[in-house]
């Protein structure tokens, strides 16, 4: 592993928003324009599940319920992925993390400081509609009506404090994200360019 000191200098942006708020979609656009390294904790966890490991089986059970995976598991995966990309990265887009305030504090303590939080603000109705549409092709165990309800609840209860905490530090950039992908990306660029 690279010394922690190297990671400390990495540029990190947290990308936060409820399920289906468009984090992954906008991160693809950001990567295309700015060349940052995109790390989705959901994708990292799903890759672990796909590997068929015992740890993966435990993760599936948690994700099917719409609950959060234990902090240490996610943080270790994220950190390993960052170390692997550190030498070539212009900065990291951390997508879907932190999901709860402790995750944010632990990341800043153990990995690197965060420079900015992008928060995609979308109504529950819109998120639900997008996820049910995504369900047609995603094959994700958590894209179903019951789990979506639970995920939205988890988001409001646990992730809202993250948004508030970084807002109090002047780091949260809330983006109204109900429009088209292009309209939303225009707002994202305004934030990233300043
Ligand atoms: P997240 O990563 O936040 O869960 P995704 O980027 O996977 O969200 O988007 C969830 C679903 O909504 C996807 O099917 C995506 O195609 C769709 N979607 C994303 N952004 C928009 C948008 N601006 N308008 C309509 N649909 C969108
Ligand atoms: Mg996603």
């Amino acid at each position: 592993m690279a010394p922690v000191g190297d990671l400390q200098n990495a540029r990190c942006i947290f990308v936060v928003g409820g399920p289906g708020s468009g984090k992954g979609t906008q991160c693809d656009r950001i990567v295309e324009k700015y060349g940052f390294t995109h790390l989705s904790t959901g994708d990292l966890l799903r890759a672990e599940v796909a590997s068929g490991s015992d740890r993966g089986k435990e993760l599936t059970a948690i994700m099917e319920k719409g609950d959060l995976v234990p902090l240490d598991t996610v943080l270790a995966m994220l950190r390993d992925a960052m170390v692997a990309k550190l030498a070539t990265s212009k900065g990291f887009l951390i997508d879907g993390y932190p999901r709860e305030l402790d995750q944010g504090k632990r990341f800043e303590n153990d990995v690197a400081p965060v420079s900015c939080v992008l928060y995609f603000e979308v109504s529950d109705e819109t998120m639900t509609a997008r996820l049910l549409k995504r369900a047609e092709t995603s094959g994700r165990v958590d894209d179903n009506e019951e789990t979506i309800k639970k995920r939205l609840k988890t988001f409001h209860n646990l992730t809202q404090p993250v948004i508030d905490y970084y807002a109090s530090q002047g780091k949260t950039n809330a983006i109204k994200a109900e429009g088209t992908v292009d309209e939303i990306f225009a707002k994202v660029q305004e934030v990233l360019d300043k």
Side-chain angles (χ1 to χ4, degrees):
M1 265 205 197
V4 173
D6 287 352
L7 270 182
Q8 281 287 327
N9 296 323
R11 181 175 178 204
C12 295
I13 297 173
F14 285 155
V15 181
V16 176
S21 60
K23 300 181 293 294
T25 304
Q26 292 297 322
C27 281
D28 288 347
R29 299 293 298 271
I30 297 170
V31 167
E32 202 179 294
K33 172 154 188 195
Y34 298 89
F36 293 145
T37 307
H38 177 208
L39 293 176
S40 155
T41 50
D43 291 347
L44 291 172
L45 292 165
R46 282 184 288 276
E48 180 76 32
V49 168
S51 77
S53 66
D54 285 343
R55 190 197 234 178
K57 288 187 188 109
E58 284 169 34
L59 294 174
T60 308
I62 296 170
M63 288 156 88
E64 272 173 350
K65 284 194 280 177
D67 288 334
L68 296 183
V69 167
L71 193 165
D72 289 299
T73 307
V74 192
L75 189 61
M77 270 184 190
L78 195 51
R79 191 179 183 288
D80 289 350
M82 288 177 70
V83 168
K85 302 268 170 71
L86 188 60
T88 53
S89 182
K90 291 186 193 170
F92 292 94
L93 281 177
I94 316 278
D95 165 4
Y97 184 104
R99 289 284 226 279
E100 58 186 347
L101 190 48
D102 266 1
Q103 289 187 355
K105 290 184 176 172
R106 276 283 300 281
F107 182 95
E108 293 207 274
N109 201 51
D110 298 358
V111 182
V114 62
S115 51
C116 158
V117 178
L118 282 180
Y119 164 43
F120 293 112
E121 206 175 347
V122 176
S123 70
D124 284 9
E125 292 69 31
T126 301
M127 288 192 269
T128 303
R130 288 181 185 172
L131 290 173
L132 290 175
K133 182 95 187 87
R134 185 173 78 181
E136 292 169 10
T137 54
S138 72
R140 282 179 50 163
V141 295
D142 54 356
D143 281 348
N144 63 76
E145 203 145 8
E146 193 187 335
T147 308
I148 290 167
K149 272 191 201 137
K150 180 71 196 298
R151 289 159 74 203
L152 287 171
K153 207 169 157 203
T154 303
F155 170 70
H156 291 300
N157 290 340
L158 299 181
T159 312
Q160 188 61 47
V162 172
I163 295 159
D164 298 343
Y165 173 76
Y166 287 107
S168 76
Q169 299 184 1
K171 288 183 178 172
T172 296
N173 293 273
I175 293 175
K176 295 245 188 283
E178 300 264 351
T180 66
V181 172
D182 284 341
E183 283 164 358
I184 298 161
F185 187 58
K187 298 185 204 173
V188 169
Q189 289 173 78
E190 270 177 45
V191 170
L192 294 181
D193 288 340
K194 70 173 196 252

